[in-house]
Amino acid sequence: MTTPAGSGAGFGSVSWWGLSPALDLQEESPAVHLDTDAARAAPELDVLLLGSVDGRHLLRTLARAARWPRRRFNFYMLEHNLEAVARHMLLFSLALEDPEKMGLQERSETFLEVWGNALLRAPVAAFVRAQAARLALLVPEPDRLARELPWLRLCALKFRERDALEAVFRFWSGGERGPEAFPVGRLWDARVRHYLGSRYDARRGVSDWDLRMKLHDRGVSVGGRRLGLDPRVWGRRLGPGSGSESRRPGAPMPGHLHLSSSPLLPQALVIHTQEFRRWRDTGVAFELRDSSVYHVPNRTLASGRLLTHRGERVAARGYWGDIATGPFVAFGIEADDQSLLQTRNGQPVKTAGEITQHNLTEVLRELASWGRPGAAQGDPEDEQPEPEGSSKQRTSGDPAREPFALHFLPLGSAHALHHKGCYQGRFQLLYVACGMVNLLGPELGACVAPGGNLVVESARFLVDLRLEQLQAFAARVGELAEAAGFTPCATAGPAETFARFTKPRAAGSGPPPQSPSLGAPSVGCATPAPSATALSPRSDHAHSKPASHARVGADPEPQCPSLTSNGGSGDQEPPARF
């Protein structure tokens, strides 16, 4: 058996890392008019993210916040499983670790290994166990959680979801001892064998083909501007009928650019053959030490799935993530420092792993210099001397004074947000990952304020998909966005990595939207959009948000009731418990 090209089987049913470069969400959001009273008071940015998975967009946004006028951020996260929520919490607690306890280099290296490696070094595995044990104690204690992690909001999760989240952390902390609890090496090999079928013995050749003939050719960039997918732009692999018969050998195509004489560089060309092949074989993407020290399974990549065994549905733990593209795209193919993207003799001087480590280190450095949570990062009036009680509350971590907040929304309630008045027209930006495009519809469109923006991740870096499938996916995204009430941005470039849309404002309306108050008028919901065909066999989960929510910077937010009357989000099965 051979897995056919275009099947999407390599994508898996669970996403652990993004398939697009990290974005600064302030650049994607509507412009803030600082001459308005609302902007001077508390210019908040409310963003709803579906399937952001690894928090790369949030980290880049926070790291670059010092380059923009000061404002607070409210990130509302909808993931399709609780393991992704747990990884968000672990990675953010690591990124925001006290520099006196963990240095910058150690933090960046630990982050890389936990985020993208199937096998860990023993010290990193010990850190994961310690942090997981700490988070397992914090999840069932809201007061202690608010004191120690004031940037985190779990009030929207149902009680059974919090219990399942605690169980995930217990598993990570070593509640089930030994590598046999999660034999990731055997599980990885089983996935690869099933994915390649009869091509398994030639898996190295397959990985080289996927890298050089697919990833390396999918788009080029010129100073941040992306061009088309046409491989003729590189003046190679020109077959009959392409016009190559009439030109002299070595001459570029008329109207096209040639690789040897152009500074253009395919974004993914920095992914080196050896690192990509190593990841395909072992699951280790970032080898920062000798290969012999990577032997402890990374339990944060484990997830549950319901399988049919002898006619019965049973819960099984395994690795159901990506085995085709890898974690190199998120931080490893773009860089502010253009010297990292230079080539010599037609080859990049830096690999994607080295660029990823550099970019992530810079993100953590800028994040630390901008201000750690708990510091006075609020409005100028918040920084004035306060009574002793308020000062004491600041040192203990007052959620209302944090420069940002991560709100995790309950599973299976993506289409229920528009039923709550506090979410109707609330968000200035909606981000949708390629694996959750099927959730895009008028219900989510009603949650975006007029003048707000929509950013949809494309399937550009899914090596399983053919060019015609990528084009069909882009067309489908346009249809769903139109049905949700969005129009393509007039200034947006070719939608190869991201498709950008905006929600029209009524004629004569005011400046770009700010966070609405709890009594904001409702935005009408149109008829549901036709369902999109998902790129992978994902479960029908998403997250949804609480009810009442006060503006950050005013009074502390109230408790968040559930989105349904029975405390649930529909007739959905509880998460699998192991």
Side-chain angles (χ1 to χ4, degrees):
M1 185 272 294
T2 299
T3 303
S7 65
F11 184 40
S13 58
V14 178
S15 294
W16 296 126
W17 41 73
L19 297 176
S20 58
L23 293 175
D24 182 356
L25 298 180
Q26 291 207 72
E27 292 183 357
E28 305 295 334
S29 61
V32 176
H33 293 269
L34 296 179
D35 55 344
T36 62
D37 294 336
R40 285 198 302 267
E44 298 180 6
L45 176 62
D46 292 336
V47 183
L48 177 61
L49 301 101
L50 277 67
S52 66
V53 180
D54 54 7
R56 65 194 185 282
H57 304 312
L58 280 62
L59 290 173
R60 185 175 178 87
T61 302
L62 295 176
R64 295 195 167 200
R67 308 180 186 185
W68 297 83
R70 177 176 295 179
R71 65 194 308 189
R72 287 192 172 95
F73 306 98
N74 294 312
F75 301 112
Y76 293 81
M77 317 289 290
L78 284 84
E79 303 294 344
H80 86 287
N81 63 357
L82 290 173
E83 289 84 0
V85 176
R87 271 175 62 93
H88 272 296
M89 296 171 59
L90 176 65
L91 293 176
F92 261 87
S93 62
L94 171 59
L96 301 173
E97 186 67 58
D98 189 347
E100 296 181 358
K101 296 181 180 179
M102 180 179 288
L104 180 62
Q105 181 178 353
E106 184 181 1
R107 263 187 299 150
S108 62
E109 292 180 351
T110 302
F111 190 103
L112 281 180
E113 294 188 22
V114 174
W115 170 55
N117 285 358
L119 297 172
L120 305 176
R121 293 181 289 125
V124 177
F127 172 82
V128 172
R129 289 193 297 268
Q131 284 292 99
R134 173 181 174 235
L135 293 173
L137 296 176
L138 294 179
V139 168
E141 300 184 19
D143 294 337
R144 182 181 173 187
L145 179 68
R147 289 195 305 269
E148 298 192 17
L149 302 178
W151 45 268
L152 183 61
R153 306 288 192 275
L154 299 179
C155 61
L157 297 181
K158 296 171 287 185
F159 287 109
R160 66 178 183 182
E161 291 173 339
R162 299 186 198 182
D163 293 340
L165 189 61
E166 180 184 357
V168 171
F169 287 124
R170 294 292 183 189
F171 171 68
W172 291 0
S173 64
E176 299 179 26
R177 299 289 181 179
E180 289 304 317
F182 181 56
V184 67
R186 178 166 55 85
L187 296 171
W188 185 279
D189 185 70
R191 280 287 312 281
V192 174
R193 285 179 180 273
H194 181 268
Y195 171 60
L196 297 180
S198 60
R199 300 181 296 167
Y200 178 80
D201 291 337
R203 57 189 178 278
R204 291 201 168 188
V206 174
S207 66
D208 291 348
W209 177 272
D210 288 343
L211 176 64
R212 295 182 178 275
M213 310 297 283
K214 295 180 180 180
L215 282 179
H216 282 181
D217 281 343
R218 291 198 172 172
V220 299
S221 62
V222 189
R225 183 172 59 91
R226 291 164 179 78
L227 302 181
L229 299 174
D230 192 347
R232 295 177 300 173
V233 77
W234 301 107
R236 60 181 178 181
R237 291 194 296 279
L238 299 175
S242 61
S244 59
E245 300 85 349
S246 59
R247 64 185 179 93
R248 67 182 186 276
M253 284 283 295
H256 291 82
L257 297 170
H258 195 257
L259 180 62
S260 61
S261 60
S262 172
L264 297 176
L265 180 69
Q267 283 187 302
L269 188 62
V270 294
I271 303 178
H272 196 272
T273 303
Q274 293 183 358
E275 62 183 354
F276 188 75
R277 183 186 299 168
R278 180 186 64 236
W279 175 79
R280 279 279 187 101
D281 290 342
T282 65
V284 177
F286 308 105
E287 194 172 86
L288 308 177
R289 300 291 189 276
D290 187 80
S291 59
S292 61
V293 300
Y294 293 94
H295 55 83
V296 183
N298 186 357
R299 294 194 179 194
T300 68
L301 297 181
S303 61
R305 185 177 178 182
L306 291 176
L307 303 177
T308 302
H309 179 66
R310 295 180 180 179
E312 296 183 359
R313 301 281 284 177
V314 295
R317 178 186 291 123
Y319 178 79
W320 313 110
D322 171 35
I323 59 172
T325 302
F328 307 103
V329 176
F331 289 104
I333 64 175
E334 292 183 351
D336 293 334
D337 185 359
Q338 295 300 311
S339 64
L340 298 174
L341 304 178
Q342 290 180 352
T343 60
R344 293 177 183 172
N345 298 324
Q347 295 297 322
V349 298
K350 298 293 184 180
T351 65
E354 294 171 333
I355 296 175
T356 298
Q357 185 176 6
H358 174 273
N359 287 340
L360 185 58
T361 302
E362 290 302 312
V363 164
L364 297 181
R365 178 182 288 113
E366 292 184 17
L367 183 60
S369 63
W370 173 62
R372 297 178 59 252
Q377 295 290 333
D379 299 327
E381 49 212 31
D382 293 338
E383 300 173 2
Q384 297 176 356
E386 298 181 0
E388 181 179 357
S390 300
S391 176
K392 183 176 180 181
Q393 186 179 19
R394 175 182 300 182
T395 58
S396 63
D398 183 7
R401 298 185 184 277
E402 293 306 313
F404 73 97
L406 269 61
H407 304 259
F408 290 103
L409 311 181
L411 304 178
S413 53
H415 296 300
L417 287 176
H418 67 290
H419 292 304
K420 293 295 180 179
C422 60
Y423 295 111
Q424 293 179 359
R426 178 185 184 91
F427 302 103
Q428 294 97 42
L429 179 63
L430 170 62
Y431 173 86
V432 182
C434 62
M436 302 185 76
V437 172
N438 57 310
L439 299 177
L440 180 59
E443 298 87 354
L444 287 176
C447 299
V448 179
N453 294 341
L454 166 67
V455 177
V456 181
E457 181 185 50
S458 74
R460 176 188 182 190
F461 293 107
L462 288 181
V463 298
D464 279 354
L465 302 187
R466 299 187 180 95
L467 180 58
E468 56 269 19
Q469 290 176 306
L470 296 177
Q471 295 171 346
F473 177 80
R476 185 58 174 162
V477 167
E479 295 174 2
L480 292 177
E482 182 181 1
F486 295 91
T487 59
C489 290
T491 59
E496 288 187 7
T497 305
F498 299 100
R500 293 173 171 85
F501 305 87
T502 186
K503 186 173 182 179
R505 288 198 295 265
S509 60
Q514 302 292 332
S515 300
S517 62
L518 296 179
S522 300
V523 177
C525 295
T527 56
S531 60
T533 302
L535 290 175
S536 64
R538 294 186 178 278
S539 58
D540 195 340
H541 294 243
H543 289 109
S544 186
K545 182 53 196 144
S548 302
H549 185 287
R551 294 171 58 91
V552 176
D555 298 328
E557 61 181 302
Q559 292 296 323
C560 305
S562 301
L563 290 169
T564 55
S565 57
N566 60 356
S569 57
D571 300 330
Q572 178 187 340
E573 303 183 10
R577 301 293 294 272
F578 304 98

